[in-house]
Amino acid sequence: DRLINEEDQKWFDDKLVTVLTQHFEKNWGTSDFVDACFGDFLATKPAPYVEIMDWDKASKTLKDFAEDYTLNLNKPMDLV
């Protein structure tokens, strides 16, 4: 569930290629989505997931969320 080792990552990559190829009728490779990241946390209101293109903005936004969490709950949240 967290893809914490190479075996899990390979399983996920292989499964993703299979599903994408089956449903989108295109030959996909794992290199096509190696750095793909999607989320809705950069929007100011509820929004569909979009590809995260601005890694600096994403990093700052996540750090801001962690700081707000710490301030509101008085319990630090360390991001990995």
Side-chain angles (χ1 to χ4, degrees):
D1 65 332
R2 295 186 185 177
L3 308 174
I4 59 173
N5 59 39
E6 287 187 33
E7 180 183 355
D8 288 349
Q9 293 166 6
K10 181 176 179 351
W11 175 87
F12 179 80
D13 289 347
D14 292 343
K15 187 67 168 179
L16 189 56
V17 166
T18 300
V19 170
L20 288 172
T21 301
Q22 180 182 12
H23 292 281
F24 293 99
E25 299 176 359
K26 176 185 172 193
N27 290 325
W28 297 82
T30 55
S31 63
D32 292 325
F33 49 83
V34 72
D35 287 332
C37 181
F38 293 82
D40 65 348
F41 59 89
L42 294 179
T44 56
K45 58 184 177 181
Y49 274 38
V50 295
E51 185 172 3
I52 306 301
M53 303 296 282
D54 187 344
W55 290 96
D56 291 332
K57 182 178 180 182
S59 178
K60 181 182 180 327
T61 301
L62 291 173
K63 286 179 184 174
D64 289 346
F65 286 157
E67 287 176 11
D68 287 346
Y69 176 87
T70 300
L71 290 173
N72 290 325
L73 298 177
N74 199 20
K75 182 178 176 184
M77 176 174 49
D78 296 324
L79 298 177
V80 179

